[in-house]
Amino acid sequence: MWCESAWLGGDGVADAVRVEVDADGTVVGVASGVPAQAGDVVLSGVAFPGAANAHSHAFHRALRGRTHDHGGTFWTWRESMYRAAAALTPELYEELATAAYAEMVAVGWTSVAEFHYVHHQPDGTPYGQGDSGPHAMELALARAAVRAGIRLTLLDTCYLAGGFGAPLEEGQRRFSDGTAAQWLDRLAALRATVSALHPAHQVSVGAAIHSVRAVPEDQLAVITQHLPAGLPLHVHLSEQPAENEDCLRATGRTPTALLDSYGLVGSRLSAVHATHVSERDIAVLAGAGAAVVLCPTTEADLADGIGPAGDLRAAGATLALGTDQHAVVDPWLEMRALEHGERLRTGRRGHFEPEQLHAIASLGGAAAQTRPGAGFRPGRAADFMAVDPRSARTAGSSREQLAYTATGQDVTGVVVGGVLVARDGVHTTLGRPADLLVTAIARLDEAAQREHEPGRSPAGHSREQH
């Protein structure tokens, strides 16, 4: 691969950078000031390490621009999310996820941690008891990622309750395996199936606890005892003040303290959001070597609040970025929103230097997926995104400060594992992500409309069939 220019971390931007990549998509050599050779993938503009998206719900992409009537809250947004989830089939989900992942790679995300909990049929019946085989939803996501050319860490999620001491709601039935033991059994079977179908550098399986409100304490104990070592473990944590209040009322502890009491806060844990963690929570997370996945544009869109990114970093926590509900899918805007959030929170500028922002977007996100990070040095993943330094947004910018000015619209090329997957916003094999999204969302809308036709149950089947 040959780059017109490339950002080499602490060494700044160099010109005419050639990167040698092995068959596994790993960097084996880097030289600057050299010409391109025949057959090289050529990236124009300034190339940077590819971004690693550490938190995604692919089907949430169908909600963009639809949940703002009369303001709304996180909780009213959640009802719209449940309606979309109820309409998903493996076929519809594969189509929508393919489009969502194509949108991601076109702007520079080269890997994604998919926080996945739509496991079963809408009535809670597992797949594999009809036309679709076992793990139908999970394998649909894997196929979507392969088609889009993005590395996937599929975080299979345990989701058992509707809240502290509350049963599942109607829209949550398809998320649940009933018990943690049954979830662990399905997780083990899924890992075996995926590893037989896909190399780990392309698709791997991790684990997630949806939240402390969705997994009762006795089930947390089962997970602590039996979750296989080495798997990344993610959890939604302290996203809303109401979550903290409910947890304190039910257990006498914050969500972080509750997880810690069961031995679940450790170096493999990634706490997603952590918007409303206490000083003590921050110390516990950082002291255990946990990662914190911040999703600044989602947290702004849902009015969750501004997370304590600076305090987390100062305490020693590893930071990563995610797009979560995909109100925005752009690593450049997520990086900038992280810095802007700290400026708004403190009234001061300059909290995260460009080198730190790129490290969070790339190395932090990869660490949360237990993947090798991308970069211009041997042993790193050959995942890169290049931007035009002469666009209407970036013209006049220092090349080292493009993190403060570039957007996904400026991305000229994206490489994953040494393979060019997108150029100038167009996917090399799938075409324009916008076209894919329009078609996929329209099909999901049609399915959702059929769900609410008279004579049909919430599961999407006629009442006579039940």
Side-chain angles (χ1 to χ4, degrees):
M1 187 183 76
W2 186 86
C3 309
E4 180 183 3
S5 301
W7 180 79
L8 303 182
D11 296 328
V13 174
D15 294 323
V17 175
R18 189 168 188 269
V19 182
E20 295 182 358
V21 182
D22 68 13
D24 294 327
T26 301
V27 174
V28 294
V30 179
S32 60
V34 298
Q37 296 184 18
D40 284 356
V41 173
V42 174
L43 291 181
S44 61
V46 184
F48 295 83
N53 188 345
H55 190 65
S56 163
H57 302 289
F59 77 92
H60 291 189
R61 177 59 184 83
L63 302 178
R64 185 188 294 177
R66 296 181 168 200
T67 63
H68 303 275
D69 292 346
H70 311 296
T73 67
F74 169 86
W75 305 103
T76 58
W77 169 88
R78 194 174 72 152
E79 294 306 312
S80 298
M81 181 268 288
Y82 285 157
R83 286 194 293 272
L88 289 171
T89 64
E91 294 76 20
L92 288 173
Y93 206 1
E94 181 174 348
E95 182 177 23
L96 179 58
T98 299
Y101 294 156
E103 181 184 14
M104 285 183 201
V105 294
V107 294
W109 298 108
T110 55
S111 69
V112 59
E114 181 65 34
F115 198 106
H116 168 66
Y117 49 80
V118 189
H119 303 303
H120 306 303
Q121 298 180 61
D123 63 358
T125 302
Y127 286 101
Q129 301 180 13
D131 293 337
S132 298
H135 315 302
M137 282 295 202
E138 292 76 20
L139 295 180
L141 288 167
R143 290 191 298 270
V146 171
R147 287 189 66 202
I150 195 169
R151 302 181 194 269
L152 173 67
T153 303
L154 182 61
L155 299 170
D156 197 84
T157 303
C158 185
Y159 196 134
L160 304 174
F164 292 99
L168 293 165
E169 300 174 15
E170 179 68 29
Q172 298 168 329
R173 286 192 299 170
R174 72 185 310 183
F175 306 162
S176 178
D177 291 292
T179 67
Q182 290 170 315
W183 168 68
L184 286 162
D185 287 343
R186 187 178 54 74
L187 174 64
L190 174 64
R191 291 179 67 201
T193 299
V194 168
S195 65
L197 293 172
H198 304 285
H201 67 80
Q202 188 174 65
V203 181
S204 63
V205 176
I209 295 167
H210 179 271
S211 57
V212 293
R213 67 178 184 271
V215 180
E217 282 195 66
D218 61 335
Q219 302 301 297
L220 290 176
V222 174
I223 294 171
T224 299
Q225 185 175 1
H226 297 291
L227 187 67
L231 281 188
L233 176 66
H234 289 220
V235 60
H236 292 131
L237 188 77
S238 293
E239 180 178 4
Q240 287 284 325
E243 176 188 338
N244 288 351
E245 294 162 6
D246 290 347
C247 190
L248 284 166
R249 188 180 303 112
T251 73
R253 288 160 287 182
T254 66
T256 299
L258 178 61
L259 291 174
D260 190 44
S261 70
Y262 284 95
L264 290 167
V265 178
S267 59
R268 72 170 171 181
L269 183 72
S270 290
V272 181
H273 300 301
T275 311
H276 300 284
V277 287
S278 68
E279 289 185 11
R280 174 59 183 161
D281 293 336
I282 291 172
V284 169
L285 291 167
V292 176
V293 182
L294 301 161
C295 306
T297 62
T298 284
E299 285 140 15
D301 182 77
L302 296 179
D304 286 342
I306 298 172
D311 294 340
L312 286 161
R313 183 190 59 181
T318 296
L319 301 185
L321 294 171
T323 59
D324 193 4
Q325 55 130 348
H326 312 313
V328 175
V329 175
D330 188 328
W332 301 89
L333 293 181
E334 296 293 349
M335 286 190 286
R336 198 134 69 248
L338 185 67
E339 167 65 17
H340 287 174
E342 282 299 285
R343 293 183 184 187
L344 291 169
R345 191 169 72 91
T346 66
R348 291 184 291 105
R349 303 178 79 201
H351 296 268
F352 293 96
E353 295 297 321
E355 184 171 358
Q356 295 170 318
L357 290 175
H358 284 290
I360 290 167
S362 180
L363 300 180
Q369 301 179 55
T370 62
R371 291 188 177 278
F376 292 92
R377 66 177 64 175
R380 292 282 175 86
D383 301 347
F384 304 103
M385 54 180 178
V387 293
D388 181 359
R390 297 172 289 273
S391 75
R393 290 157 295 279
T394 62
S397 300
S398 163
R399 296 189 298 180
E400 285 78 11
Q401 295 187 28
L402 285 167
Y404 296 138
T405 60
T407 73
Q409 296 179 67
D410 303 312
V411 173
T412 60
V414 180
V415 167
V416 180
V419 177
L420 184 71
V421 293
R423 191 182 292 281
D424 296 325
V426 179
H427 196 278
T428 55
T429 59
L430 298 174
R432 288 183 357 115
D435 296 337
L436 302 174
L437 288 162
V438 166
T439 301
I441 293 171
R443 290 192 64 203
L444 185 62
D445 286 345
E446 292 171 3
Q449 186 174 2
R450 289 195 298 270
E451 286 287 324
H452 293 89
E453 289 177 356
R456 298 185 75 85
S457 73
H461 303 286
S462 67
R463 292 193 178 96
E464 289 74 12
Q465 288 177 305
H466 291 275

